[in-house]
Amino acid sequence: MTPGGPPVPRGEGKNPDRPVLIFDGECSVCRNAVEWIRRRCGPETFEYLSCHAEGLPRRFPHVGKDECLEAMHLVLPDGTVLAGEQAVPEILWRLRGWRRASALFRLPGAGTLSRAFYRWFAARRHRFSTPGAP
């Protein structure tokens, strides 16, 4: 689903009032990012779901696995889906001590820069996770 489209149905979650962070659970960079997030928020702030989970298509039929392999997705309680660089400010807003950092994404030009960097990094993330890779 493209960001800004119709909300995704809420699905069956443990707590439908918290956002669901969908990530590539087989990527060490993605897993490390999720662990970084977990250490900076409360235990009930997010639900975490690997894009390889069997229940993903049933719970979030509009969030495709291929898209999840390209970028993290954050599904908000109202069903809004934020992907990649669009999810970052919302994630930061929910972390202890990082709300001010989320405001940086509202500065002029920040969207263009964050989109370019996120896409560049995401396309090369497996290189960063492989020891000794160029």
Side-chain angles (χ1 to χ4, degrees), residues 54-85:
E54 287 183 29
L56 179 70
R58 180 179 40 80
R59 284 189 62 195
F60 303 107
H62 294 87
V63 179
K65 184 175 179 180
D66 289 342
E67 290 85 8
C68 293
L69 292 173
E70 293 177 13
M72 285 187 165
H73 284 62
L74 185 66
V75 182
L76 300 177
D78 69 359
T80 301
V81 178
L82 303 171
E85 77 283 349

Side-chain angles (χ1 to χ4, degrees), residues 4 11 19-20 23 34 45 49 51 62 64 75 78 80 82 90-91 103-104 106 109 117:
V20 179
F23 66 101
V34 166
T45 304
L49 182 65
C51 63
H62 294 87
V75 182
D78 69 359
T80 301
L82 303 171
E90 185 69 28
I91 292 168
L104 296 173
R106 291 192 298 264
F117 176 75

Side-chain angles (χ1 to χ4, degrees), residues 15 18 23 28 31-32 45 49 55 57 72 105 110 113-114 116 132-133:
N15 182 346
R18 66 181 170 161
F23 66 101
S28 64
R31 287 192 315 267
N32 287 336
T45 304
L49 182 65
M72 285 187 165
F105 288 84
L113 290 174
S114 65

